[in-house]
């Protein structure tokens, strides 16, 4: 994924967070929910891309390093 695609995801995340904060501060439940959904979608996509790139680069780290090595 290109730098521009990653930047676009970050912008989506930030716009979602801004919409969520706006909704919370103005008592607009729809804006809060829409913003949170937008933010979470962007975060999930960023994580998916990161996992895909780390596997492609041979850095498949599941956080369990040495868990079964006794």
């Amino acid at each position: 994924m290109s730098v521009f695609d990653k930047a676009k995801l970050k912008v989506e995340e930030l716009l979602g967070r801004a919409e969520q904060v706006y909704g919370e501060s103005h008592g607009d439940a729809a804006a809060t929910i829409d913003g949170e959904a937008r933010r979470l979608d962007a975060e999930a996509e960023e994580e998916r891309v990161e996992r895909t790139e780390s596997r492609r680069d041979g850095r498949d780290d599941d956080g369990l390093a040495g868990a079964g090595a006794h």
Side-chain angles (χ1 to χ4, degrees), residues 6-65:
K6 289 179 182 180
K8 182 180 174 186
L9 286 174
K10 185 54 76 174
V11 167
E12 283 295 317
E13 179 185 341
L14 294 173
L15 288 173
R17 180 67 183 140
E19 185 177 8
Q20 181 182 359
V21 169
Y22 169 84
E24 290 170 354
S25 66
H26 287 82
D28 186 345
T32 302
I33 292 169
D34 288 344
E36 184 176 16
R38 187 175 190 174
R39 179 182 57 84
L40 291 173
D41 283 345
E43 287 177 357
E45 182 64 17
E46 286 176 336
E47 289 177 15
R48 186 194 65 76
V49 167
E50 187 176 304
R51 278 194 314 273
T52 301
E53 288 180 350
S54 69
R55 286 185 187 134
R56 183 183 59 209
D57 295 340
R59 301 181 318 235
D60 190 13
D61 182 12
D62 60 4
L64 300 174

